[in-house]
Amino acid sequence: MTLAQKLPYETYVVEHKLKMSGFNYFIKVAQADLYTHSNLVAYWSMNELSGATAFDYSGNGHHATLKPTYPSDCPRRDDSFKKSYGKALHFDGNDYLQTPSFAIPNTGILTIEA
């Protein structure tokens, strides 16, 4: 970020006497609105407790459906290593998520993680 982009966060922290840096405040704000602050296209946590949908938490509405057929033949929900993380989808090689078509911005950089 440029100095001009950092200034509002630094100013807010000082004015409100927060015990954090301007950068830490920026991270807090950015995590509440990932789409605006990270150009995130889609984010599926895949830890819902039930249902046929993996919700898109990026704010773009690109929800995915567990496939091929829910509930009999699709990724099953297993307990995560830590119960506080919720469930985790287990793919057996035949399972997948079907997403709606959406454009991916042509920024020259693309990261896909699973």
Side-chain angles (χ1 to χ4, degrees):
M1 296 175 77
T2 67
L3 290 175
Q5 291 171 317
K6 292 178 186 178
L7 185 60
Y9 299 100
E10 295 292 342
T11 303
Y12 185 89
V13 166
V14 170
E15 288 176 354
H16 291 87
K17 297 181 173 94
L18 300 179
K19 294 184 179 188
M20 65 173 66
S21 69
F23 176 75
N24 285 343
Y25 181 66
F26 166 76
I27 294 298
K28 180 178 177 178
V29 170
Q31 286 177 333
D33 186 3
L34 291 172
Y35 175 72
T36 299
H37 295 284
S38 70
N39 295 321
L40 198 60
V41 175
Y43 170 64
W44 303 284
S45 71
M46 296 191 254
N47 67 350
E48 286 83 14
L49 297 177
S50 64
T53 303
F55 293 100
D56 174 17
Y57 294 102
S58 72
N60 292 319
H62 299 141
H63 307 303
T65 305
L66 281 60
K67 291 288 188 174
T69 52
Y70 179 82
S72 60
D73 185 18
C74 66
R76 75 173 189 266
R77 298 182 192 280
D78 287 338
D79 288 331
S80 296
F81 291 109
K82 289 182 76 175
K83 295 282 187 190
S84 61
Y85 292 159
K87 296 287 185 178
L89 290 180
H90 177 97
F91 293 84
D92 68 7
N94 182 45
D95 306 328
Y96 62 96
L97 293 177
Q98 182 176 10
T99 64
S101 296
F102 55 87
I104 297 175
N106 185 9
T107 61
I109 298 171
L110 176 65
T111 300
I112 300 174
E113 296 182 30

